Amino acid sequence: MNFLSFIRQIEKMFDGPLPGFPAHMKMSSLARIHQLMNRFQSYNIIQSSVLLLLYPFRAEVGLVLTLRNEYKGIHSGQISLPGGKFEEDDESLIFTALREAKEEIGINPKQVQILGQLTPLYIPPSKFLVTPVVGFISFRPEFIAEPYEVAKIIEIRVSDLLNDEVIQQKKINLKVGLSLKVPCFSIDGNLIWGATAMILNEFKEMIKPIPDIL
């Protein structure tokens, strides 16, 4: 299946129900479930969005992630999708995802075609409610990392996500001085866990029924 045929199939998937919460929980630790049960308070929510960008990569379908720089925040040094907090001047959460992708990795928002949105995901430590926006560019972009926020740009293939062997349990050292065993995607030496892994797993579950996917 070529790239644009794959994109058209994904577009159809957004017409049906999303995998949602069950897909998120497959990549969630027991500690996160406990947090969700005890700390979710709607009046504390910070709206935000991320961009799951698809494009041709190594004769397959690629998507881009970022390794965050080290800083004092909760999510420093983690692998994430480009994105961030909704600002007052943003027209929508889609606008937020595109704006942040431009700032973090140099994406031209006018070149991105939006396919749909995945299930919003609440992140208890930061109180962000993240809406994943799925879009595509019909060619591989020239990525430019914003040096203050992004330590490295990471490109993976969609086929990497579909390989069940990359899902592992790893011990992660948290910034608060604790360690936690979590499910993660281990791809090319990169450990993708937490909210990013949960979002990617929903995308994986959504596209699995597509015949002749790659």
Side-chain angles (χ1 to χ4, degrees):
M1 180 181 292
N2 64 37
F3 176 77
L4 289 179
S5 295
F6 176 64
I7 293 298
R8 294 284 83 83
Q9 290 291 325
I10 293 177
E11 198 169 26
K12 293 177 183 177
M13 291 293 174
F14 280 105
D15 292 333
L18 295 170
F21 188 73
H24 290 168
M25 288 299 98
K26 288 181 181 180
M27 297 300 291
S28 174
S29 68
L30 290 176
R32 180 183 177 83
I33 295 171
H34 179 76
Q35 286 179 324
L36 288 171
M37 292 174 65
N38 290 281
R39 295 184 60 182
F40 183 78
Q41 297 178 354
S42 60
Y43 58 83
N44 284 329
I45 284 175
I46 301 171
Q47 292 286 349
S48 63
S49 60
V50 295
L51 180 65
L52 198 161
L53 181 67
L54 306 171
Y55 55 92
F57 179 59
R58 296 179 182 173
E60 294 190 27
V61 181
L63 62 88
V64 63
L65 301 158
T66 66
L67 174 65
R68 295 176 185 268
N69 273 323
E70 296 287 342
Y71 58 96
K72 291 184 180 180
I74 295 171
H75 301 298
S76 75
Q78 295 181 11
I79 293 175
S80 64
L81 292 158
K85 183 173 67 172
F86 178 84
E87 302 289 351
E88 287 185 9
D89 293 337
D90 290 349
E91 301 168 4
S92 65
L93 287 168
I94 291 175
F95 183 95
T96 302
L98 293 174
R99 174 181 55 76
E100 290 282 347
K102 179 182 180 181
E103 294 173 5
E104 293 180 10
I105 59 175
I107 292 296
N108 183 347
K110 294 180 180 179
Q111 295 175 336
V112 180
Q113 298 184 58
I114 302 301
L115 295 168
Q117 299 176 31
L118 297 175
T119 306
L121 175 65
Y122 181 62
I123 305 177
S126 58
K127 299 180 181 178
F128 276 29
L129 182 64
V130 180
T131 296
V133 177
V134 182
F136 76 96
I137 294 179
S138 58
F139 56 90
R140 181 173 177 257
E142 181 179 350
F143 298 111
I144 303 172
E146 199 288 311
Y148 180 75
E149 294 187 64
V150 179
K152 183 173 69 170
I153 288 174
I154 300 169
E155 296 179 85
I156 66 173
R157 300 167 300 177
V158 167
S159 59
D160 294 327
L161 296 178
L162 295 170
N163 178 7
D164 289 335
E165 293 182 3
V166 305
I167 297 179
Q168 301 177 11
Q169 293 278 339
K170 294 285 186 179
K171 191 175 183 180
I172 300 294
N173 295 318
L174 305 176
K175 297 298 177 183
V176 292
L178 301 175
S179 61
L180 186 67
K181 195 170 185 180
V182 300
C184 64
F185 292 100
S186 178
I187 300 173
D188 297 332
N190 300 298
L191 297 183
I192 307 165
W193 61 282
T196 302
M198 296 166 75
I199 291 167
L200 292 180
N201 198 61
E202 182 180 20
F203 179 70
K204 170 185 175 178
E205 294 290 333
M206 185 181 78
I207 66 174
K208 276 169 63 174
I210 297 177
D212 303 321
I213 189 169
L214 297 171

